[in-house]
Amino acid sequence: MNPVKFYKCLADETRLKSLLLISEAGEACVCNLMDALQLDQPKTSRHLAELRKCEILQSERRGKWIYYKLHPDLPEWAREVILGTARSNADYFAKALQVLNTSINNGC
Amino acid sequence: MNPVKFYKCLADETRLKSLLLISEAGEACVCNLMDALQLDQPKTSRHLAELRKCEILQSERRGKWIYYKLHPDLPEWAREVILGTARSNADYFAKALQVLNTSINNGC
DNA sequence: AAAACATATATGATATTTCACATATGTGGA
DNA sequence: TCCACATATGTGAAATATCATATATGTTTT
Protein backbone atom coordinates (compact mmCIF):
# COMPACT_ATOMS: atom_id res chain seq x y z
CA MET A 1 0.00 0.00 0.00
CA ASN A 2 1.61 3.22 -1.19
CA PRO A 3 1.20 5.91 1.50
CA VAL A 4 0.31 8.73 -0.91
CA LYS A 5 -2.23 6.58 -2.71
CA PHE A 6 -3.72 5.68 0.65
CA TYR A 7 -4.02 9.28 1.80
CA LYS A 8 -5.47 10.37 -1.54
CA CYS A 9 -8.30 7.96 -0.79
CA LEU A 10 -8.90 9.55 2.61
CA ALA A 11 -8.72 13.08 1.22
CA ASP A 12 -12.39 13.31 0.33
CA GLU A 13 -15.29 13.80 2.69
CA THR A 14 -17.46 11.08 1.18
CA ARG A 15 -14.71 8.48 1.20
CA LEU A 16 -13.36 9.38 4.64
CA LYS A 17 -16.77 9.34 6.27
CA SER A 18 -17.62 6.07 4.53
CA LEU A 19 -14.45 4.55 5.95
CA LEU A 20 -15.03 5.88 9.45
CA LEU A 21 -18.62 4.64 9.39
CA ILE A 22 -17.65 1.21 8.09
CA SER A 23 -14.84 0.92 10.62
CA GLU A 24 -17.36 1.58 13.40
CA ALA A 25 -20.21 -0.53 12.06
CA GLY A 26 -18.06 -3.42 10.84
CA GLU A 27 -19.79 -3.41 7.48
CA ALA A 28 -22.47 -1.56 5.55
CA CYS A 29 -24.22 -1.79 2.21
CA VAL A 30 -24.53 1.01 -0.33
CA CYS A 31 -28.08 1.90 0.64
CA ASN A 32 -27.09 2.27 4.31
CA LEU A 33 -24.32 4.68 3.37
CA MET A 34 -26.59 6.63 1.02
CA ASP A 35 -28.90 7.20 3.96
CA ALA A 36 -26.16 8.01 6.43
CA LEU A 37 -24.32 10.46 4.18
CA GLN A 38 -27.38 11.85 2.40
CA LEU A 39 -25.91 11.19 -1.02
CA ASP A 40 -27.34 9.90 -4.27
CA GLN A 41 -26.63 6.36 -5.35
CA PRO A 42 -24.06 6.86 -8.15
CA LYS A 43 -21.92 9.15 -6.04
CA THR A 44 -21.92 6.75 -3.12
CA SER A 45 -21.18 3.79 -5.34
CA ARG A 46 -18.36 5.49 -7.20
CA HIS A 47 -16.48 6.42 -4.08
CA LEU A 48 -16.88 2.95 -2.62
CA ALA A 49 -15.62 1.48 -5.89
CA GLU A 50 -12.52 3.64 -5.64
CA LEU A 51 -11.86 2.42 -2.11
CA ARG A 52 -12.35 -1.13 -3.33
CA LYS A 53 -9.93 -0.67 -6.24
CA CYS A 54 -7.32 0.64 -3.81
CA GLU A 55 -7.89 -2.46 -1.69
CA ILE A 56 -8.90 -0.47 1.34
CA LEU A 57 -12.39 -1.96 1.24
CA GLN A 58 -13.62 -5.39 0.25
CA SER A 59 -17.09 -5.97 -1.13
CA GLU A 60 -19.31 -9.01 -0.89
CA ARG A 61 -22.70 -9.59 -2.40
CA ARG A 62 -25.31 -11.19 -0.15
CA GLY A 63 -28.55 -11.48 -2.04
CA LYS A 64 -29.65 -8.15 -3.38
CA TRP A 65 -27.23 -6.10 -1.39
CA ILE A 66 -23.51 -5.55 -1.61
CA TYR A 67 -21.71 -5.13 1.67
CA TYR A 68 -18.46 -3.27 2.17
CA LYS A 69 -15.97 -3.81 4.98
CA LEU A 70 -12.33 -2.96 5.67
CA HIS A 71 -10.13 -5.15 3.51
CA PRO A 72 -8.67 -8.04 5.56
CA ASP A 73 -5.26 -7.52 3.95
CA LEU A 74 -5.10 -3.82 4.73
CA PRO A 75 -1.68 -3.12 6.30
CA GLU A 76 -1.79 -2.70 10.04
CA TRP A 77 -0.49 0.89 9.98
CA ALA A 78 -3.23 1.90 7.55
CA ARG A 79 -5.91 0.21 9.62
CA GLU A 80 -4.57 2.04 12.68
CA VAL A 81 -4.80 5.37 10.87
CA ILE A 82 -8.46 4.78 10.13
CA LEU A 83 -9.35 3.48 13.58
CA GLY A 84 -7.34 6.19 15.32
CA THR A 85 -9.01 8.90 13.25
CA ALA A 86 -12.42 7.47 14.15
CA ARG A 87 -11.57 7.33 17.87
CA SER A 88 -10.31 10.91 17.99
CA ASN A 89 -12.93 12.53 15.75
CA ALA A 90 -16.16 10.98 16.93
CA ASP A 91 -18.10 14.23 16.56
CA TYR A 92 -17.04 14.53 12.93
CA PHE A 93 -19.32 11.66 11.93
CA ALA A 94 -21.54 11.11 14.98
CA LYS A 95 -24.72 12.21 13.24
CA ALA A 96 -24.03 10.05 10.18
CA LEU A 97 -23.28 7.08 12.43
CA GLN A 98 -26.61 7.44 14.17
CA VAL A 99 -28.47 7.45 10.85
CA LEU A 100 -26.37 4.52 9.67
CA ASN A 101 -27.32 2.39 12.66
CA THR A 102 -30.98 3.20 12.16
CA SER A 103 -30.70 2.29 8.50
CA ILE A 104 -28.94 -0.98 9.28
CA ASN A 105 -31.56 -1.93 11.88
CA ASN A 106 -34.41 -1.12 9.51
CA GLY A 107 -32.86 -3.37 6.84
CA CYS A 108 -32.41 -0.70 4.21
CA MET B 1 -8.01 20.17 12.77
CA ASN B 2 -10.56 18.93 10.27
CA PRO B 3 -9.73 15.34 9.27
CA VAL B 4 -10.41 15.77 5.55
CA LYS B 5 -8.35 18.94 5.42
CA PHE B 6 -5.56 17.11 7.20
CA TYR B 7 -5.59 14.17 4.79
CA LYS B 8 -5.73 16.46 1.77
CA CYS B 9 -2.41 17.83 2.97
CA LEU B 10 -0.91 14.34 3.15
CA ALA B 11 -2.29 13.35 -0.25
CA ASP B 12 0.64 14.67 -2.24
CA GLU B 13 4.05 13.13 -2.57
CA THR B 14 6.00 16.35 -1.98
CA ARG B 15 4.02 17.27 1.11
CA LEU B 16 3.93 13.76 2.57
CA LYS B 17 7.65 13.19 2.12
CA SER B 18 8.39 16.63 3.54
CA LEU B 19 6.38 15.76 6.61
CA LEU B 20 7.97 12.35 7.05
CA LEU B 21 11.44 13.84 6.66
CA ILE B 22 10.75 16.65 9.10
CA SER B 23 9.23 14.25 11.60
CA GLU B 24 12.42 12.18 11.48
CA ALA B 25 14.90 15.05 11.42
CA GLY B 26 13.09 17.24 13.94
CA GLU B 27 13.36 20.25 11.66
CA ALA B 28 14.66 21.25 8.25
CA CYS B 29 15.02 24.37 6.16
CA VAL B 30 13.80 24.83 2.60
CA CYS B 31 17.21 24.29 1.04
CA ASN B 32 17.62 20.96 2.88
CA LEU B 33 14.29 19.74 1.57
CA MET B 34 15.06 20.94 -1.95
CA ASP B 35 18.15 18.74 -1.87
CA ALA B 36 16.44 15.75 -0.29
CA LEU B 37 13.45 15.77 -2.62
CA GLN B 38 15.26 17.02 -5.73
CA LEU B 39 12.79 19.81 -6.28
CA ASP B 40 13.11 23.43 -7.32
CA GLN B 41 12.68 26.16 -4.78
CA PRO B 42 9.21 27.52 -5.63
CA LYS B 43 7.68 24.07 -5.62
CA THR B 44 9.22 23.16 -2.28
CA SER B 45 8.23 26.47 -0.77
CA ARG B 46 4.66 26.39 -2.00
CA HIS B 47 3.98 22.99 -0.46
CA LEU B 48 5.59 23.96 2.83
CA ALA B 49 3.46 27.11 2.85
CA GLU B 50 0.36 24.99 2.44
CA LEU B 51 1.37 22.81 5.37
CA ARG B 52 2.05 25.94 7.42
CA LYS B 53 -1.36 27.44 6.57
CA CYS B 54 -3.03 24.21 7.69
CA GLU B 55 -1.07 24.48 10.95
CA ILE B 56 0.61 21.14 10.46
CA LEU B 57 4.01 22.81 10.28
CA GLN B 58 5.44 25.82 12.05
CA SER B 59 8.14 27.99 10.53
CA GLU B 60 10.85 29.99 12.23
CA ARG B 61 13.45 32.25 10.72
CA ARG B 62 16.96 31.93 12.10
CA GLY B 63 19.25 34.31 10.24
CA LYS B 64 19.07 33.69 6.52
CA TRP B 65 17.22 30.39 6.65
CA ILE B 66 13.67 29.44 7.55
CA TYR B 67 13.22 26.23 9.48
CA TYR B 68 10.12 24.08 9.51
CA LYS B 69 9.06 21.64 12.22
CA LEU B 70 5.86 19.89 13.22
CA HIS B 71 3.48 22.41 14.75
CA PRO B 72 3.51 22.17 18.57
CA ASP B 73 -0.29 22.45 18.66
CA LEU B 74 -0.86 19.65 16.18
CA PRO B 75 -3.50 17.31 17.67
CA GLU B 76 -2.07 14.14 19.10
CA TRP B 77 -3.99 11.85 16.72
CA ALA B 78 -2.62 13.73 13.71
CA ARG B 79 0.92 13.60 15.04
CA GLU B 80 0.50 9.87 15.57
CA VAL B 81 -0.65 9.43 11.98
CA ILE B 82 2.50 11.10 10.69
CA LEU B 83 4.87 9.29 13.06
CA GLY B 84 3.16 5.95 12.50
CA THR B 85 3.37 6.37 8.75
CA ALA B 86 7.06 7.16 9.02
CA ARG B 87 7.73 4.14 11.24
CA SER B 88 5.92 1.72 8.95
CA ASN B 89 7.12 3.09 5.62
CA ALA B 90 10.80 3.73 6.19
CA ASP B 91 11.77 2.52 2.73
CA TYR B 92 9.38 4.99 1.13
CA PHE B 93 11.63 7.92 2.06
CA ALA B 94 14.90 6.28 3.13
CA LYS B 95 16.91 7.66 0.23
CA ALA B 96 15.55 11.18 0.72
CA LEU B 97 16.30 10.98 4.43
CA GLN B 98 19.89 10.06 3.74
CA VAL B 99 20.32 13.06 1.43
CA LEU B 100 18.56 15.27 3.96
CA ASN B 101 20.97 14.33 6.73
CA THR B 102 23.94 14.99 4.47
CA SER B 103 22.47 18.36 3.54
CA ILE B 104 21.84 19.28 7.17
CA ASN B 105 25.37 18.32 8.18
CA ASN B 106 26.89 20.29 5.33
CA GLY B 107 24.92 23.38 6.42
CA CYS B 108 22.88 23.79 3.22
C1' DA C 1 -41.95 -22.18 -14.51
C1' DA C 2 -41.63 -18.26 -17.53
C1' DA C 3 -42.54 -13.46 -18.19
C1' DA C 4 -42.78 -9.11 -16.48
C1' DC C 5 -41.55 -5.97 -13.19
C1' DA C 6 -39.03 -3.94 -9.13
C1' DT C 7 -34.90 -3.00 -6.56
C1' DA C 8 -29.84 -2.50 -5.62
C1' DT C 9 -25.66 -1.45 -7.49
C1' DA C 10 -22.28 -0.35 -11.18
C1' DT C 11 -20.54 2.17 -15.03
C1' DG C 12 -20.03 5.24 -19.41
C1' DA C 13 -19.97 9.85 -21.14
C1' DT C 14 -19.40 14.40 -20.40
C1' DA C 15 -19.35 18.83 -17.99
C1' DT C 16 -17.23 21.09 -14.21
C1' DT C 17 -14.34 22.00 -10.65
C1' DT C 18 -10.01 21.45 -8.42
C1' DC C 19 -5.13 21.01 -8.33
C1' DA C 20 -0.25 21.18 -9.49
C1' DC C 21 3.35 23.13 -12.04
C1' DA C 22 6.33 26.70 -14.46
C1' DT C 23 7.59 31.19 -14.82
C1' DA C 24 7.98 35.63 -13.22
C1' DT C 25 7.99 38.86 -9.70
C1' DG C 26 8.08 40.48 -4.84
C1' DT C 27 10.12 40.81 -0.07
C1' DG C 28 13.07 40.69 3.92
C1' DG C 29 17.43 40.05 6.04
C1' DA C 30 22.74 39.98 5.73
C1' DT D 1 22.83 44.72 -3.52
C1' DC D 2 22.77 39.77 -3.14
C1' DC D 3 20.68 35.61 -1.40
C1' DA D 4 17.03 32.74 0.48
C1' DC D 5 12.49 32.39 0.39
C1' DA D 6 7.56 33.62 -0.70
C1' DT D 7 3.79 34.53 -3.70
C1' DA D 8 0.96 35.73 -7.97
C1' DT D 9 -0.57 34.35 -12.46
C1' DG D 10 -1.54 31.62 -16.38
C1' DT D 11 -2.19 26.89 -18.01
C1' DG D 12 -2.70 22.04 -18.51
C1' DA D 13 -4.04 17.79 -16.10
C1' DA D 14 -6.59 15.20 -12.99
C1' DA D 15 -10.46 14.51 -9.77
C1' DT D 16 -15.40 14.92 -9.13
C1' DA D 17 -20.34 15.42 -10.13
C1' DT D 18 -24.21 14.41 -12.86
C1' DC D 19 -27.20 12.09 -15.90
C1' DA D 20 -28.40 8.21 -18.36
C1' DT D 21 -28.07 3.53 -18.81
C1' DA D 22 -26.56 -1.33 -17.85
C1' DT D 23 -26.46 -5.48 -14.96
C1' DA D 24 -27.76 -8.60 -11.46
C1' DT D 25 -30.84 -10.25 -8.16
C1' DG D 26 -35.44 -10.70 -6.18
C1' DT D 27 -40.56 -10.74 -6.55
C1' DT D 28 -44.98 -11.11 -8.53
C1' DT D 29 -48.14 -12.61 -12.00
C1' DT D 30 -50.02 -15.74 -15.13
Side-chain angles (χ1 to χ4, degrees):
Chain A
M1 171 66 65
N2 174 282
V4 171
K5 191 174 151 200
F6 176 66
Y7 288 123
K8 274 185 199 290
C9 284
L10 305 205
D12 173 274
E13 183 168 6
T14 298
R15 290 194 298 271
L16 181 59
K17 279 195 176 165
S18 296
L19 282 175
L20 298 179
L21 289 171
I22 288 171
S23 79
E24 287 280 337
E27 64 174 18
C29 67
V30 180
C31 54
N32 296 144
L33 292 165
M34 287 170 59
D35 288 352
L37 299 173
Q38 309 262 56
L39 298 174
D40 60 23
Q41 185 272 323
K43 182 169 174 176
T44 310
S45 178
R46 266 180 203 291
H47 284 292
L48 291 174
E50 196 176 333
L51 292 169
R52 171 165 39 82
K53 278 172 195 152
C54 292
E55 297 181 300
I56 296 175
L57 290 181
Q58 194 182 59
S59 68
E60 179 196 358
R61 179 185 282 274
R62 291 210 296 280
K64 193 155 47 171
W65 292 280
I66 295 186
Y67 291 85
Y68 284 87
K69 63 178 176 188
L70 289 188
H71 198 293
D73 300 339
L74 188 64
E76 192 53 32
W77 68 269
R79 184 178 299 266
E80 266 310 310
V81 165
I82 296 170
L83 296 178
T85 303
R87 270 198 305 274
S88 301
N89 294 276
D91 51 335
Y92 176 65
F93 65 108
K95 186 162 281 177
L97 183 57
Q98 190 185 330
V99 179
L100 181 73
N101 285 324
T102 305
S103 172
I104 289 174
N105 291 333
N106 291 354
C108 265
Chain B
M1 170 68 63
N2 174 283
V4 170
K5 193 175 150 198
F6 175 68
Y7 288 123
K8 274 185 198 290
C9 284
L10 305 204
D12 173 275
E13 184 169 5
T14 299
R15 290 194 296 272
L16 182 60
K17 280 195 176 165
S18 297
L19 281 175
L20 298 178
L21 290 171
I22 289 171
S23 78
E24 287 281 337
E27 65 174 16
C29 67
V30 179
C31 52
N32 297 144
L33 292 165
M34 286 172 58
D35 287 352
L37 300 173
Q38 310 262 53
L39 299 173
D40 59 22
Q41 185 272 324
K43 182 169 173 177
T44 310
S45 178
R46 186 164 23 78
H47 284 293
L48 290 173
E50 196 174 333
L51 293 170
R52 172 164 39 81
K53 278 173 195 152
C54 292
E55 297 181 300
I56 296 176
L57 289 181
Q58 195 182 57
S59 69
E60 179 195 358
R61 180 186 282 274
R62 290 210 296 279
K64 195 155 45 173
W65 289 281
I66 295 184
Y67 291 86
Y68 285 87
K69 62 180 177 186
L70 290 187
H71 198 293
D73 299 339
L74 189 64
E76 192 53 33
W77 68 268
R79 183 178 300 265
E80 265 311 308
V81 165
I82 296 170
L83 296 178
T85 303
R87 270 198 305 275
S88 302
N89 294 275
D91 52 335
Y92 175 65
F93 65 107
K95 185 163 281 179
L97 182 58
Q98 190 186 331
V99 179
L100 182 72
N101 285 325
T102 305
S103 172
I104 289 175
N105 291 332
N106 291 352
C108 266

